[in-house]
Amino acid sequence: MSKHSPKGEIGSGFLGWLNSRWKRLPEAFRWNIEDTFLPENIAERLLPREEPLLEIRLAKYRDIIGHIVFEYFWWVLLVTGVAAIVTAVRSLKNGATPSQTVLYALIPFVILIAIIAIAIKERIEYNQWRLLKTNARFIISIPQPGANFLVDNIELKGMPNVIDTNWSRNPFWRIFQFFTGARDLYISLAAYKFIEGTARVGDALIIPDVMPKDVYELRKLVFAVPKPPTPQKVVFPSPQKVTVTEED
């Protein structure tokens, strides 16, 4: 289970620096852009007296490149600079002209730009998938089909009726699921409906690559076990007279 971030949390590192600049923009503008991609911290969007109980994201391996680039950006930039210098020196030693050396030295930076583009795409897709349970509602956020980087939000007053876990249909992600225990989470909001010949729930929303501990926490909320009855304490408003009779 991922804990909900406190309101106003900025973070650290390069990503924290970006967040601090982003927070300085007008709120109306920020909200309009964030509603397109889904904000990373939605504490500002909660209703009055609404408190988060559980937040579920995709498994961390779905954001490996984004995590490395944004959390260790300055180190990545330093490695790129060193690689550019090494490439330039080796090019000069191999008899390259100055113009060729400059072109060779730019290759690591071109690769860096490509990696940053992949990291941005990966981070946006990672943030698009989210389950959030509060004391007031259950919010499901998923990418909008056929529209890149746009998000659909579903808000429920109650809870789902059916929870199912299955292996990913993508063989590549199955490798990660095998080693981490993550599974695709199927959530059905209506009555039971199963796909013939499988143990898979039909007409369900699919949240890919959810860690087992998050599924367990969600089950605890959906299938709440009633507490056993506890003895009730009886309090008499005034002293009571007790009469003891002897048996023959």
Side-chain angles (χ1 to χ4, degrees):
M1 180 181 66
S2 58
K3 296 295 184 181
H4 193 82
S5 303
K7 184 175 181 178
E9 180 177 326
I10 298 299
S12 59
F14 177 71
L15 189 59
W17 180 82
L18 286 178
N19 285 336
S20 65
R21 269 60 184 175
W22 177 253
K23 291 292 185 181
R24 295 179 181 180
L25 298 176
E27 187 178 83
F29 173 78
R30 286 194 297 107
W31 284 28
N32 182 52
I33 300 300
E34 289 175 352
D35 283 342
T36 302
F37 303 110
L38 192 65
E40 187 162 349
N41 181 359
I42 63 173
E44 296 177 314
R45 314 304 182 86
L46 297 180
L47 302 174
R49 298 184 302 278
E50 185 177 15
E51 295 293 336
L53 302 178
L54 174 67
E55 182 178 4
I56 296 178
R57 302 284 198 96
L58 302 186
K60 291 294 185 182
Y61 59 76
R62 295 295 295 260
D63 188 37
I64 293 178
I65 299 177
H67 177 77
I68 294 174
V69 170
F70 291 117
E71 298 298 331
Y72 305 98
F73 177 78
W74 303 118
W75 287 104
V76 173
L77 187 61
L78 177 61
V79 171
T80 303
V82 172
I85 295 174
V86 172
T87 303
V89 171
R90 291 181 62 88
S91 299
L92 289 174
K93 287 183 176 181
N94 291 333
T97 63
S99 59
Q100 290 176 331
T101 301
V102 172
L103 290 177
Y104 290 143
L106 290 177
I107 291 178
F109 290 98
V110 173
I111 296 175
L112 175 62
I113 293 174
I115 293 176
I116 291 176
I118 295 174
I120 292 174
K121 180 177 182 295
E122 192 175 77
R123 176 57 60 90
I124 291 176
E125 291 177 348
Y126 177 79
N127 284 333
Q128 285 181 313
W129 298 92
R130 178 182 300 166
L131 298 178
L132 177 62
K133 178 65 178 75
T134 72
N135 57 347
R137 51 185 169 156
F138 186 75
I139 306 172
I140 304 173
S141 301
I142 59 176
Q144 181 176 328
N148 291 331
F149 306 132
L150 301 183
V151 177
D152 281 336
N153 291 313
I154 304 171
E155 300 184 16
L156 306 176
K157 186 176 182 180
M159 294 289 288
N161 290 331
V162 182
I163 293 178
D164 183 29
T165 54
N166 286 282
W167 292 91
S168 174
R169 298 177 181 177
N170 188 321
F172 176 75
W173 294 124
R174 285 184 187 176
I175 299 175
F176 290 89
Q177 290 183 345
F178 177 80
F179 288 102
T180 63
R183 295 290 186 274
D184 286 359
L185 178 65
Y186 287 61
I187 296 179
S188 179
L189 309 178
Y192 295 92
K193 181 179 180 181
F194 297 97
I195 298 176
E196 184 178 356
T198 71
R200 187 172 296 159
V201 177
D203 294 336
L205 292 173
I206 305 175
I207 310 297
D209 298 286
V210 178
M211 294 300 290
K213 61 180 181 179
D214 292 331
V215 177
Y216 177 73
E217 295 296 331
L218 180 60
R219 285 186 176 129
K220 284 167 50 176
L221 292 177
V222 174
F223 309 113
V225 179
K227 295 182 179 180
T230 56
Q232 300 296 319
K233 183 179 180 181
V234 179
V235 179
F236 295 101
S238 60
Q240 302 295 312
K241 181 179 180 181
V242 179
T243 303
V244 179
T245 60
E246 295 183 358
E247 296 184 356
D248 295 335

